[in-house]
PDB file of all heavy atoms in Angstrom:
ATOM      1  N   GLY A  29     -17.729   3.172  30.054  1.00  0.00           N
ATOM      2  CA  GLY A  29     -18.701   2.025  29.997  1.00  0.00           C
ATOM      3  C   GLY A  29     -19.707   1.979  31.259  1.00  0.00           C
ATOM      4  O   GLY A  29     -20.608   1.332  31.118  1.00  0.00           O
ATOM      5  N   ASP A  30     -19.221   2.689  32.296  1.00  0.00           N
ATOM      6  CA  ASP A  30     -20.149   2.728  33.494  1.00  0.00           C
ATOM      7  C   ASP A  30     -21.455   3.509  33.151  1.00  0.00           C
ATOM      8  O   ASP A  30     -22.376   3.187  33.829  1.00  0.00           O
ATOM      9  CB  ASP A  30     -19.426   3.342  34.616  1.00  0.00           C
ATOM     10  CG  ASP A  30     -18.168   2.590  35.052  1.00  0.00           C
ATOM     11  OD1 ASP A  30     -18.014   1.523  34.382  1.00  0.00           O
ATOM     12  OD2 ASP A  30     -17.471   2.980  35.962  1.00  0.00           O
ATOM     13  N   PHE A  31     -21.381   4.394  32.249  1.00  0.00           N
ATOM     14  CA  PHE A  31     -22.414   5.248  32.128  1.00  0.00           C
ATOM     15  C   PHE A  31     -23.161   5.135  30.754  1.00  0.00           C
ATOM     16  O   PHE A  31     -24.375   5.438  30.634  1.00  0.00           O
ATOM     17  CB  PHE A  31     -22.002   6.743  32.215  1.00  0.00           C
ATOM     18  CG  PHE A  31     -21.319   7.089  33.438  1.00  0.00           C
ATOM     19  CD1 PHE A  31     -19.895   7.112  33.454  1.00  0.00           C
ATOM     20  CD2 PHE A  31     -21.963   7.330  34.660  1.00  0.00           C
ATOM     21  CE1 PHE A  31     -19.259   7.328  34.649  1.00  0.00           C
ATOM     22  CE2 PHE A  31     -21.354   7.598  35.762  1.00  0.00           C
ATOM     23  CZ  PHE A  31     -19.942   7.557  35.784  1.00  0.00           C
ATOM     24  N   SER A  32     -22.500   4.684  29.801  1.00  0.00           N
ATOM     25  CA  SER A  32     -23.052   4.491  28.388  1.00  0.00           C
ATOM     26  C   SER A  32     -22.769   3.039  27.974  1.00  0.00           C
ATOM     27  O   SER A  32     -21.953   2.408  28.625  1.00  0.00           O
ATOM     28  CB  SER A  32     -22.458   5.489  27.503  1.00  0.00           C
ATOM     29  OG  SER A  32     -21.048   5.348  27.488  1.00  0.00           O
ATOM     30  N   GLY A  34     -21.114  -0.044  26.461  1.00  0.00           N
ATOM     31  CA  GLY A  34     -19.659  -0.337  26.152  1.00  0.00           C
ATOM     32  C   GLY A  34     -19.062  -0.988  27.417  1.00  0.00           C
ATOM     33  O   GLY A  34     -19.768  -1.331  28.399  1.00  0.00           O
ATOM     34  N   GLN A  38     -15.842  -4.491  24.365  1.00  0.00           N
ATOM     35  CA  GLN A  38     -15.942  -3.612  23.140  1.00  0.00           C
ATOM     36  C   GLN A  38     -14.760  -2.766  22.980  1.00  0.00           C
ATOM     37  O   GLN A  38     -14.236  -2.614  21.833  1.00  0.00           O
ATOM     38  CB  GLN A  38     -17.161  -2.757  23.267  1.00  0.00           C
ATOM     39  CG  GLN A  38     -18.491  -3.480  23.093  1.00  0.00           C
ATOM     40  CD  GLN A  38     -19.029  -4.009  24.501  1.00  0.00           C
ATOM     41  OE1 GLN A  38     -18.266  -4.196  25.415  1.00  0.00           O
ATOM     42  NE2 GLN A  38     -20.338  -4.310  24.506  1.00  0.00           N
ATOM     43  N   GLU A  69       1.557 -10.905  23.332  1.00  0.00           N
ATOM     44  CA  GLU A  69       1.482 -12.149  24.061  1.00  0.00           C
ATOM     45  C   GLU A  69       1.409 -11.960  25.587  1.00  0.00           C
ATOM     46  O   GLU A  69       0.658 -12.681  26.305  1.00  0.00           O
ATOM     47  CB  GLU A  69       2.698 -13.084  23.747  1.00  0.00           C
ATOM     48  CG  GLU A  69       2.499 -13.682  22.375  1.00  0.00           C
ATOM     49  CD  GLU A  69       3.685 -14.664  21.986  1.00  0.00           C
ATOM     50  OE1 GLU A  69       4.479 -14.910  22.888  1.00  0.00           O
ATOM     51  OE2 GLU A  69       3.739 -14.975  20.779  1.00  0.00           O
ATOM     52  N   TYR A  79      -7.853  -9.660  36.088  1.00  0.00           N
ATOM     53  CA  TYR A  79      -9.105 -10.023  36.516  1.00  0.00           C
ATOM     54  C   TYR A  79      -9.117 -10.922  37.725  1.00  0.00           C
ATOM     55  O   TYR A  79      -9.695 -10.566  38.796  1.00  0.00           O
ATOM     56  CB  TYR A  79      -9.862 -10.710  35.400  1.00  0.00           C
ATOM     57  CG  TYR A  79     -11.429 -10.759  35.525  1.00  0.00           C
ATOM     58  CD1 TYR A  79     -12.138 -10.396  34.456  1.00  0.00           C
ATOM     59  CD2 TYR A  79     -11.922 -11.002  36.734  1.00  0.00           C
ATOM     60  CE1 TYR A  79     -13.467 -10.420  34.508  1.00  0.00           C
ATOM     61  CE2 TYR A  79     -13.393 -11.082  36.853  1.00  0.00           C
ATOM     62  CZ  TYR A  79     -14.052 -10.738  35.738  1.00  0.00           C
ATOM     63  OH  TYR A  79     -15.538 -10.756  35.875  1.00  0.00           O
ATOM     64  N   TYR A  93     -13.874 -14.279  47.227  1.00  0.00           N
ATOM     65  CA  TYR A  93     -13.266 -14.103  45.888  1.00  0.00           C
ATOM     66  C   TYR A  93     -14.192 -13.282  45.004  1.00  0.00           C
ATOM     67  O   TYR A  93     -15.411 -13.481  44.990  1.00  0.00           O
ATOM     68  CB  TYR A  93     -12.991 -15.477  45.329  1.00  0.00           C
ATOM     69  CG  TYR A  93     -12.177 -15.401  44.079  1.00  0.00           C
ATOM     70  CD1 TYR A  93     -10.840 -15.084  44.128  1.00  0.00           C
ATOM     71  CD2 TYR A  93     -12.763 -15.702  42.844  1.00  0.00           C
ATOM     72  CE1 TYR A  93     -10.060 -15.038  43.044  1.00  0.00           C
ATOM     73  CE2 TYR A  93     -11.946 -15.682  41.724  1.00  0.00           C
ATOM     74  CZ  TYR A  93     -10.611 -15.300  41.743  1.00  0.00           C
ATOM     75  OH  TYR A  93      -9.856 -15.211  40.643  1.00  0.00           O
ATOM     76  N   TYR A  96     -16.215  -7.099  45.636  1.00  0.00           N
ATOM     77  CA  TYR A  96     -15.515  -5.869  45.510  1.00  0.00           C
ATOM     78  C   TYR A  96     -15.794  -4.892  46.655  1.00  0.00           C
ATOM     79  O   TYR A  96     -15.181  -3.882  46.767  1.00  0.00           O
ATOM     80  CB  TYR A  96     -16.100  -5.105  44.257  1.00  0.00           C
ATOM     81  CG  TYR A  96     -16.055  -6.012  42.998  1.00  0.00           C
ATOM     82  CD1 TYR A  96     -17.071  -5.840  42.132  1.00  0.00           C
ATOM     83  CD2 TYR A  96     -14.906  -6.756  42.698  1.00  0.00           C
ATOM     84  CE1 TYR A  96     -17.038  -6.669  41.021  1.00  0.00           C
ATOM     85  CE2 TYR A  96     -14.892  -7.542  41.613  1.00  0.00           C
ATOM     86  CZ  TYR A  96     -15.940  -7.449  40.702  1.00  0.00           C
ATOM     87  OH  TYR A  96     -15.948  -8.167  39.553  1.00  0.00           O
ATOM     88  N   VAL A 104     -19.855   1.057  48.001  1.00  0.00           N
ATOM     89  CA  VAL A 104     -20.148   1.438  46.689  1.00  0.00           C
ATOM     90  C   VAL A 104     -18.805   1.758  45.914  1.00  0.00           C
ATOM     91  O   VAL A 104     -18.678   1.456  44.734  1.00  0.00           O
ATOM     92  CB  VAL A 104     -21.099   2.670  46.646  1.00  0.00           C
ATOM     93  CG1 VAL A 104     -21.266   3.261  45.281  1.00  0.00           C
ATOM     94  CG2 VAL A 104     -22.445   2.187  47.212  1.00  0.00           C
ATOM     95  N   GLN A 107     -17.220  -1.240  44.847  1.00  0.00           N
ATOM     96  CA  GLN A 107     -17.814  -1.889  43.667  1.00  0.00           C
ATOM     97  C   GLN A 107     -17.250  -1.129  42.408  1.00  0.00           C
ATOM     98  O   GLN A 107     -16.895  -1.826  41.457  1.00  0.00           O
ATOM     99  CB  GLN A 107     -19.312  -1.698  43.730  1.00  0.00           C
ATOM    100  CG  GLN A 107     -19.955  -2.823  44.652  1.00  0.00           C
ATOM    101  CD  GLN A 107     -19.929  -4.097  44.003  1.00  0.00           C
ATOM    102  OE1 GLN A 107     -19.969  -4.186  42.762  1.00  0.00           O
ATOM    103  NE2 GLN A 107     -20.095  -5.132  44.863  1.00  0.00           N
ATOM    104  N   GLU A 108     -17.238   0.274  42.472  1.00  0.00           N
ATOM    105  CA  GLU A 108     -16.768   0.961  41.317  1.00  0.00           C
ATOM    106  C   GLU A 108     -15.311   0.574  41.003  1.00  0.00           C
ATOM    107  O   GLU A 108     -14.962   0.383  39.777  1.00  0.00           O
ATOM    108  CB  GLU A 108     -16.870   2.497  41.561  1.00  0.00           C
ATOM    109  CG  GLU A 108     -18.304   3.008  41.381  1.00  0.00           C
ATOM    110  CD  GLU A 108     -18.362   4.475  41.617  1.00  0.00           C
ATOM    111  OE1 GLU A 108     -17.389   4.986  42.227  1.00  0.00           O
ATOM    112  OE2 GLU A 108     -19.479   5.069  41.376  1.00  0.00           O
ATOM    113  N   GLU A 115     -12.914  -4.543  34.189  1.00  0.00           N
ATOM    114  CA  GLU A 115     -13.066  -4.187  32.831  1.00  0.00           C
ATOM    115  C   GLU A 115     -11.787  -3.962  32.163  1.00  0.00           C
ATOM    116  O   GLU A 115     -11.535  -4.272  30.992  1.00  0.00           O
ATOM    117  CB  GLU A 115     -13.937  -2.868  32.782  1.00  0.00           C
ATOM    118  CG  GLU A 115     -15.331  -2.988  33.201  1.00  0.00           C
ATOM    119  CD  GLU A 115     -16.261  -3.601  32.124  1.00  0.00           C
ATOM    120  OE1 GLU A 115     -15.766  -3.943  31.113  1.00  0.00           O
ATOM    121  OE2 GLU A 115     -17.420  -3.791  32.419  1.00  0.00           O
ATOM    122  N   GLN A 137       0.473 -15.290   5.975  1.00  0.00           N
ATOM    123  CA  GLN A 137       0.151 -14.721   4.696  1.00  0.00           C
ATOM    124  C   GLN A 137       1.490 -14.301   4.070  1.00  0.00           C
ATOM    125  O   GLN A 137       1.804 -14.571   2.897  1.00  0.00           O
ATOM    126  CB  GLN A 137      -0.734 -13.559   4.844  1.00  0.00           C
ATOM    127  CG  GLN A 137      -1.248 -12.961   3.586  1.00  0.00           C
ATOM    128  CD  GLN A 137      -2.473 -12.146   3.782  1.00  0.00           C
ATOM    129  OE1 GLN A 137      -3.157 -12.356   4.825  1.00  0.00           O
ATOM    130  NE2 GLN A 137      -2.575 -11.051   2.999  1.00  0.00           N
ATOM    131  N   GLU A 141       3.664 -15.544   0.784  1.00  0.00           N
ATOM    132  CA  GLU A 141       4.074 -14.696  -0.370  1.00  0.00           C
ATOM    133  C   GLU A 141       5.577 -14.897  -0.624  1.00  0.00           C
ATOM    134  O   GLU A 141       5.910 -14.809  -1.802  1.00  0.00           O
ATOM    135  CB  GLU A 141       3.892 -13.228   0.051  1.00  0.00           C
ATOM    136  CG  GLU A 141       2.551 -12.753  -0.321  1.00  0.00           C
ATOM    137  CD  GLU A 141       2.294 -11.347   0.225  1.00  0.00           C
ATOM    138  OE1 GLU A 141       3.127 -10.785   1.016  1.00  0.00           O
ATOM    139  OE2 GLU A 141       1.163 -10.812   0.054  1.00  0.00           O
TER     140      GLU A 141
ATOM    141  N   ASP B  39     -25.242  -2.618  23.875  1.00  0.00           N
ATOM    142  CA  ASP B  39     -23.954  -3.249  24.254  1.00  0.00           C
ATOM    143  C   ASP B  39     -23.702  -4.396  23.289  1.00  0.00           C
ATOM    144  O   ASP B  39     -22.648  -4.491  22.678  1.00  0.00           O
ATOM    145  CB  ASP B  39     -23.942  -3.721  25.674  1.00  0.00           C
ATOM    146  CG  ASP B  39     -23.997  -2.574  26.691  1.00  0.00           C
ATOM    147  OD1 ASP B  39     -25.045  -2.040  26.835  1.00  0.00           O
ATOM    148  OD2 ASP B  39     -22.819  -2.237  27.123  1.00  0.00           O
ATOM    149  N   THR B  43     -20.859  -4.925  20.188  1.00  0.00           N
ATOM    150  CA  THR B  43     -19.964  -6.023  19.968  1.00  0.00           C
ATOM    151  C   THR B  43     -20.202  -6.722  18.650  1.00  0.00           C
ATOM    152  O   THR B  43     -19.171  -7.087  18.034  1.00  0.00           O
ATOM    153  CB  THR B  43     -20.168  -7.058  21.180  1.00  0.00           C
ATOM    154  OG1 THR B  43     -20.421  -6.328  22.427  1.00  0.00           O
ATOM    155  CG2 THR B  43     -19.160  -8.017  21.334  1.00  0.00           C
ATOM    156  N   TYR B  61      -7.174 -15.622   1.855  1.00  0.00           N
ATOM    157  CA  TYR B  61      -5.927 -15.336   1.007  1.00  0.00           C
ATOM    158  C   TYR B  61      -5.088 -16.627   1.078  1.00  0.00           C
ATOM    159  O   TYR B  61      -4.357 -16.943   0.148  1.00  0.00           O
ATOM    160  CB  TYR B  61      -5.167 -14.075   1.674  1.00  0.00           C
ATOM    161  CG  TYR B  61      -3.966 -13.887   0.900  1.00  0.00           C
ATOM    162  CD1 TYR B  61      -3.982 -12.961  -0.187  1.00  0.00           C
ATOM    163  CD2 TYR B  61      -2.734 -14.393   1.247  1.00  0.00           C
ATOM    164  CE1 TYR B  61      -2.805 -12.700  -0.839  1.00  0.00           C
ATOM    165  CE2 TYR B  61      -1.603 -14.018   0.534  1.00  0.00           C
ATOM    166  CZ  TYR B  61      -1.618 -13.162  -0.530  1.00  0.00           C
ATOM    167  OH  TYR B  61      -0.533 -12.831  -1.221  1.00  0.00           O
ATOM    168  N   LYS B 119     -27.633   1.839  43.360  1.00  0.00           N
ATOM    169  CA  LYS B 119     -27.420   2.089  44.709  1.00  0.00           C
ATOM    170  C   LYS B 119     -26.268   1.171  45.256  1.00  0.00           C
ATOM    171  O   LYS B 119     -25.394   1.583  46.008  1.00  0.00           O
ATOM    172  CB  LYS B 119     -28.643   1.688  45.475  1.00  0.00           C
ATOM    173  CG  LYS B 119     -28.951   2.737  46.608  1.00  0.00           C
ATOM    174  CD  LYS B 119     -30.242   2.333  47.327  1.00  0.00           C
ATOM    175  CE  LYS B 119     -31.267   1.461  46.540  1.00  0.00           C
ATOM    176  NZ  LYS B 119     -32.346   0.904  47.298  1.00  0.00           N
ATOM    177  N   GLY B 122     -22.945   1.827  42.291  1.00  0.00           N
ATOM    178  CA  GLY B 122     -22.619   3.142  41.740  1.00  0.00           C
ATOM    179  C   GLY B 122     -22.375   3.230  40.305  1.00  0.00           C
ATOM    180  O   GLY B 122     -21.763   4.196  39.895  1.00  0.00           O
ATOM    181  N   PRO B 124     -24.196   3.452  36.698  1.00  0.00           N
ATOM    182  CA  PRO B 124     -25.581   3.636  36.156  1.00  0.00           C
ATOM    183  C   PRO B 124     -25.874   2.653  35.009  1.00  0.00           C
ATOM    184  O   PRO B 124     -27.071   2.336  34.817  1.00  0.00           O
ATOM    185  CB  PRO B 124     -25.566   5.124  35.614  1.00  0.00           C
ATOM    186  CG  PRO B 124     -24.282   5.738  36.229  1.00  0.00           C
ATOM    187  CD  PRO B 124     -23.378   4.635  36.470  1.00  0.00           C
ATOM    188  N   ASN B 125     -24.896   2.139  34.297  1.00  0.00           N
ATOM    189  CA  ASN B 125     -25.109   1.209  33.152  1.00  0.00           C
ATOM    190  C   ASN B 125     -25.431  -0.145  33.796  1.00  0.00           C
ATOM    191  O   ASN B 125     -24.383  -0.770  34.274  1.00  0.00           O
ATOM    192  CB  ASN B 125     -24.051   1.188  32.268  1.00  0.00           C
ATOM    193  CG  ASN B 125     -24.268   0.311  31.039  1.00  0.00           C
ATOM    194  OD1 ASN B 125     -25.310  -0.281  30.850  1.00  0.00           O
ATOM    195  ND2 ASN B 125     -23.309   0.300  30.172  1.00  0.00           N
ATOM    196  N   THR B 128     -23.238  -3.109  32.487  1.00  0.00           N
ATOM    197  CA  THR B 128     -21.971  -3.165  33.113  1.00  0.00           C
ATOM    198  C   THR B 128     -22.021  -3.710  34.457  1.00  0.00           C
ATOM    199  O   THR B 128     -21.148  -4.612  34.891  1.00  0.00           O
ATOM    200  CB  THR B 128     -21.270  -1.806  33.054  1.00  0.00           C
ATOM    201  OG1 THR B 128     -21.330  -1.371  31.641  1.00  0.00           O
ATOM    202  CG2 THR B 128     -19.804  -1.904  33.526  1.00  0.00           C
ATOM    203  N   ALA B 132     -19.982  -7.169  35.397  1.00  0.00           N
ATOM    204  CA  ALA B 132     -18.770  -7.198  36.086  1.00  0.00           C
ATOM    205  C   ALA B 132     -18.877  -7.454  37.539  1.00  0.00           C
ATOM    206  O   ALA B 132     -17.979  -7.896  38.209  1.00  0.00           O
ATOM    207  CB  ALA B 132     -17.992  -5.797  35.904  1.00  0.00           C
ATOM    208  N   SER B 133     -20.131  -7.239  38.080  1.00  0.00           N
ATOM    209  CA  SER B 133     -20.287  -7.356  39.541  1.00  0.00           C
ATOM    210  C   SER B 133     -21.216  -8.593  39.939  1.00  0.00           C
ATOM    211  O   SER B 133     -20.686  -9.451  40.476  1.00  0.00           O
ATOM    212  CB  SER B 133     -20.784  -6.107  40.150  1.00  0.00           C
ATOM    213  OG  SER B 133     -20.971  -6.145  41.506  1.00  0.00           O
ATOM    214  N   GLY B 136     -19.794 -11.575  38.171  1.00  0.00           N
ATOM    215  CA  GLY B 136     -18.395 -11.487  38.051  1.00  0.00           C
ATOM    216  C   GLY B 136     -17.779 -12.849  37.671  1.00  0.00           C
ATOM    217  O   GLY B 136     -16.830 -12.842  36.893  1.00  0.00           O
ATOM    218  N   TYR B 137     -18.193 -13.880  38.315  1.00  0.00           N
ATOM    219  CA  TYR B 137     -17.648 -15.242  37.995  1.00  0.00           C
ATOM    220  C   TYR B 137     -17.729 -15.606  36.536  1.00  0.00           C
ATOM    221  O   TYR B 137     -16.937 -16.101  35.943  1.00  0.00           O
ATOM    222  CB  TYR B 137     -18.246 -16.354  38.896  1.00  0.00           C
ATOM    223  CG  TYR B 137     -17.719 -16.423  40.286  1.00  0.00           C
ATOM    224  CD1 TYR B 137     -18.317 -15.738  41.303  1.00  0.00           C
ATOM    225  CD2 TYR B 137     -16.487 -16.954  40.490  1.00  0.00           C
ATOM    226  CE1 TYR B 137     -17.847 -15.743  42.544  1.00  0.00           C
ATOM    227  CE2 TYR B 137     -15.961 -16.941  41.764  1.00  0.00           C
ATOM    228  CZ  TYR B 137     -16.590 -16.356  42.883  1.00  0.00           C
ATOM    229  OH  TYR B 137     -16.112 -16.423  44.060  1.00  0.00           O
ATOM    230  N   THR B 139     -18.118 -13.673  34.013  1.00  0.00           N
ATOM    231  CA  THR B 139     -17.296 -12.865  33.088  1.00  0.00           C
ATOM    232  C   THR B 139     -15.803 -13.243  33.231  1.00  0.00           C
ATOM    233  O   THR B 139     -15.100 -13.277  32.255  1.00  0.00           O
ATOM    234  CB  THR B 139     -17.379 -11.330  33.411  1.00  0.00           C
ATOM    235  OG1 THR B 139     -18.828 -11.065  33.529  1.00  0.00           O
ATOM    236  CG2 THR B 139     -16.784 -10.543  32.440  1.00  0.00           C
ATOM    237  N   LEU B 140     -15.419 -13.673  34.352  1.00  0.00           N
ATOM    238  CA  LEU B 140     -14.083 -14.192  34.590  1.00  0.00           C
ATOM    239  C   LEU B 140     -13.893 -15.454  33.694  1.00  0.00           C
ATOM    240  O   LEU B 140     -12.883 -15.745  33.064  1.00  0.00           O
ATOM    241  CB  LEU B 140     -13.765 -14.599  36.019  1.00  0.00           C
ATOM    242  CG  LEU B 140     -12.512 -15.216  36.408  1.00  0.00           C
ATOM    243  CD1 LEU B 140     -11.295 -14.292  35.942  1.00  0.00           C
ATOM    244  CD2 LEU B 140     -12.298 -15.514  37.756  1.00  0.00           C
ATOM    245  N   ARG B 158       1.636 -21.890  15.394  1.00  0.00           N
ATOM    246  CA  ARG B 158       3.116 -21.960  15.584  1.00  0.00           C
ATOM    247  C   ARG B 158       3.564 -23.352  15.115  1.00  0.00           C
ATOM    248  O   ARG B 158       4.642 -23.434  14.494  1.00  0.00           O
ATOM    249  CB  ARG B 158       3.421 -21.860  17.113  1.00  0.00           C
ATOM    250  CG  ARG B 158       3.488 -20.397  17.529  1.00  0.00           C
ATOM    251  CD  ARG B 158       4.911 -20.136  18.081  1.00  0.00           C
ATOM    252  NE  ARG B 158       4.992 -18.781  18.390  1.00  0.00           N
ATOM    253  CZ  ARG B 158       4.759 -18.296  19.634  1.00  0.00           C
ATOM    254  NH1 ARG B 158       4.628 -19.072  20.580  1.00  0.00           N
ATOM    255  NH2 ARG B 158       4.908 -17.009  19.764  1.00  0.00           N
TER     256      ARG B 158
END
Side-chain angles (χ1 to χ4, degrees):
Chain A
D30 296 356
F31 305 95
S32 59
Q38 290 88 340
E69 283 182 12
Y79 200 134
Y93 189 68
Y96 309 140
V104 171
Q107 282 284 338
E108 279 179 348
E115 296 279 3
Q137 186 168 331
E141 272 172 359
Chain B
D39 292 78
T43 315
Y61 182 87
K119 223 181 335 169
N125 183 0
T128 303
S133 182
Y137 279 100
T139 312
L140 177 61
R158 273 240 176 99

